[in-house]
Amino acid sequence: MKNIIKKLNVLLRITVVSLLIFIMQSQTTTVQAAQNNKTESGASKVYMRGLYIPNHHSRNLKFIKALVANGKTSGINMLVLDVHSYGSTVLKVNKSVIDYLKSENIYVTGRVVCFQDGITKLPIPAAQMKTLNALVTSAADSGFDEIQLDYIRFADEKRPYKLKTRYEVIEEMLKNFRSITNERKIKLSADVFGRIVYNRDDLIGQKLELFAAYTDVIYPMLSGRNSERWS
């Protein structure tokens, strides 16, 4: 009986793996077909399928090469690389990684965490803003196709600041970061809580219309409570 159960478990695992491979191949074929159709029609839009890479891996050229070799078969044509390690504001970018990715026609995005836990106090210290501006500027000078702003928001808790004030603070930062990327002719994007797509007057100070005015791309983050639909 134990041998039969063992064989059934092995068979089940093989079936699941085969199904996953089939799904990935089907999705890749669909994406490639869509890209081909777009190209034939003369349109410039390209479907992007990307992966996020933490900083310690994003600087490892050997790791990146292996990732690209395996990822291309699944339609991966974009990588989002952390430009600094967790809790740090020091730029850590391997230029050879970026050059390699571009040689492989991989769209490269540099992710910058603006406020790890959200803004908790106003005014934001001048030294902190100076450091953040320098980090975004250095990242923009590193050869990325796009700079992605993450955690550009207030803390997800009640604070004695009016919504109007929160919007103004975030808008001023977006305006400044946009000027940095415009000067270098690269794109600017931002991660936002998934719930603000449905929300109005969210206490974190993120508003879809506000971000749309200054960014080329908006990435709604769907995870846990952040993706709950609020009314």
Side-chain angles (χ1 to χ4, degrees), residues 62-198:
K62 183 178 179 181
F63 173 85
I64 293 296
K65 284 185 175 181
L67 184 68
V68 170
N70 289 300
K72 278 192 171 183
T73 60
S74 297
I76 299 300
N77 58 1
M78 172 185 179
L79 290 185
V80 179
L81 310 180
D82 273 340
V83 304
H84 56 96
S85 56
Y86 181 87
S88 172
T89 55
V90 178
L91 184 78
K92 293 181 180 179
V93 172
N94 185 345
K95 189 65 166 59
S96 61
V97 167
I98 298 176
D99 292 340
Y100 165 73
L101 290 173
K102 289 197 168 185
S103 72
E104 292 292 318
N105 294 318
I106 302 294
Y107 185 83
V108 197
T109 297
R111 174 178 176 262
V112 177
V113 174
C114 299
F115 303 93
Q116 187 62 60
D117 299 311
I119 301 168
T120 58
K121 186 177 181 180
L122 290 178
I124 301 170
Q128 185 178 2
M129 281 307 307
K130 183 178 180 180
T131 299
L132 179 57
N133 284 334
L135 180 60
V136 172
T137 301
S138 297
D141 286 332
S142 298
F144 290 103
D145 298 301
E146 172 184 318
I147 296 299
Q148 182 186 101
L149 306 173
D150 201 359
Y151 287 87
I152 181 167
R153 61 173 177 81
F154 281 77
D156 193 14
E157 56 189 47
K158 291 184 178 180
R159 293 279 172 175
Y161 306 118
K162 295 180 179 179
L163 267 176
K164 183 175 183 293
T165 300
R166 298 178 188 225
Y167 291 148
E168 289 173 349
V169 169
I170 290 178
E171 181 173 17
E172 188 61 31
M173 284 190 285
L174 287 172
K175 188 184 300 182
N176 179 49
F177 296 146
R178 182 75 209 198
S179 67
I180 293 173
T181 55
N182 276 352
E183 288 176 6
R184 291 150 182 84
K185 297 181 180 180
I186 61 176
K187 295 186 183 300
L188 180 68
S189 64
D191 295 331
V192 299
F193 272 15
R195 73 189 191 210
I196 74 160
V197 174
Y198 307 103

